[in-house]
Amino acid sequence: MKVIILAGGFGTRLSEYTEKIPKPMVKIGNKPILWHIMNSYSKYGYKEFFVALGYKSEIIKEYFLNYKTLNSDFTVDLKSGDLTIHNNENNDWKVTLLNTGLNSMTGGRIKRFEKYIGNETFMVTYGDGVCDVDISKLSEFHKEQKKLITVTAVRPSARFGELDIKNNLVENFQEKPQTSDGWINGGYFVCEPEVFDYIDGDSTIFEKDPLEKLAASKELSAYKHYGFWQCMDTKRDRDSLNEMLENNNAPWTKL
């Protein structure tokens, strides 16, 4: 199954990094978050990626063009130009990079891949969030529901600690608990090709008219993910994800 990754936004809330590089290229450890997302899919056998580019697209293109040398040691013979790669990662991913327009909305970016996807079920996610969702179970759930699209619903951690107060005493203190309700769109969509028919063009915001219409026609199912999920919207998010990785406590790497 083919995977579309939306990687063309401006990432303005992470401007500390995105003035120079696109948000999906901001690193967690020594790898861009885009790589972490792709690696999560590949662990479940999904290795054909279609990356929707926009803002600073050339940086993502250069990364994949030079992927082997950037991620390996190598010897270069300056006389002949011959290159010998050492300790190659040997990823068997196939990556299609498509410039989907600087100002295109999420729906417009997805629509650009219609001719590449064909009449197949496909996946879509955002290029700025990691999670430990079981993608095989997500795919199976989608098949069972028999709907045009499935969204992975998540409950993000609260930004601040939660206090349970009675009679001016704190009876329960939870630092950054998982919210008890309030499911949100966590990305990791599974889509039937008919979903393309709900997108008009570049100006279409996928999360507006298309998903609203699909929900109204009872064609949008939700796969509830109770595990880890974290988007990288701010420097604080980026630092938190790096800390998890440094402490060997990064759930998305333990799939």
Side-chain angles (χ1 to χ4, degrees):
M1 197 181 299
K2 298 171 181 175
V3 182
I4 297 174
I5 303 178
L6 300 173
F10 289 98
T12 52
R13 286 182 288 182
L14 200 60
S15 59
E16 297 92 339
Y17 303 99
T18 55
E19 285 185 4
K20 295 183 178 179
I21 61 174
K23 190 177 181 183
M25 293 303 293
V26 175
K27 289 184 176 180
I28 305 175
N30 63 352
K31 303 281 191 183
I33 190 171
L34 177 59
W35 181 93
H36 286 272
I37 295 165
M38 295 167 74
N39 193 51
S40 295
Y41 275 100
S42 72
K43 288 181 177 180
Y44 291 98
Y46 300 95
K47 301 181 180 183
E48 189 169 2
F49 301 100
F50 293 78
V51 186
L53 306 177
Y55 177 66
K56 295 189 180 294
S57 61
E58 69 281 0
I59 293 175
I60 299 180
K61 287 182 177 180
E62 287 171 2
Y63 176 76
F64 285 104
L65 276 174
N66 300 301
Y67 184 85
K68 277 195 173 183
T69 53
L70 288 172
N71 291 281
S72 306
D73 297 329
F74 60 88
T75 298
V76 59
D77 186 325
L78 297 181
K79 184 176 181 179
S80 66
D82 291 341
L83 186 69
T84 304
I85 299 292
H86 310 297
N87 67 316
N88 187 10
E89 287 188 356
N90 288 322
N91 282 333
D92 55 348
W93 306 347
K94 183 177 180 181
V95 185
T96 298
L97 302 165
L98 187 66
N99 195 330
T100 56
L102 185 62
N103 296 303
S104 296
M105 298 292 104
T106 48
R109 297 191 192 282
I110 294 168
K111 183 76 170 178
R112 296 282 191 106
F113 287 100
E114 185 171 8
K115 66 179 181 180
Y116 295 90
I117 300 299
N119 192 33
E120 301 177 23
T121 304
F122 63 100
M123 294 190 172
V124 177
T125 197
Y126 304 108
D128 62 354
V130 287
C131 75
D132 62 355
V133 64
D134 187 321
I135 296 172
S136 293
K137 289 183 179 179
L138 166 64
S139 178
E140 192 60 37
F141 175 86
H142 175 75
K143 291 177 184 177
E144 292 170 356
Q145 295 299 302
K146 294 181 170 57
K147 302 299 181 183
L148 292 184
I149 185 168
T150 297
V151 58
T152 299
V154 299
R155 297 183 299 175
S157 298
R159 288 288 183 181
F160 305 99
E162 184 178 275
L163 302 179
D164 183 6
I165 302 173
K166 290 183 180 178
N167 298 321
N168 295 324
L169 293 175
V170 177
E171 294 199 345
N172 186 35
F173 179 93
Q174 288 182 291
E175 182 63 18
K176 298 181 182 178
Q178 197 81 344
T179 54
S180 57
D181 49 19
W183 295 94
I184 68 166
N185 165 23
Y188 292 83
F189 297 92
V190 187
C191 310
E192 296 303 318
E194 290 86 351
V195 168
F196 287 118
D197 297 335
Y198 288 78
I199 304 171
D200 292 329
D202 285 352
S203 62
T204 302
I205 300 172
F206 188 57
E207 299 79 6
K208 288 291 188 180
D209 280 357
L211 291 188
E212 289 173 358
K213 288 177 180 177
L214 285 160
S217 57
K218 301 189 184 305
E219 287 292 344
L220 173 58
S221 62
Y223 178 79
K224 292 182 177 180
H225 175 57
Y226 292 89
F228 174 83
W229 176 89
Q230 179 63 60
C231 62
M232 189 177 64
D233 275 341
T234 65
K235 183 178 183 299
R236 176 180 177 176
D237 295 332
R238 181 259 182 196
D239 292 346
S240 176
L241 291 170
N242 271 281
E243 184 179 351
M244 291 178 196
L245 193 64
E246 289 170 7
N247 294 330
N248 195 30
N249 186 32
W252 70 94
T253 66
K254 302 180 185 299
L255 299 170

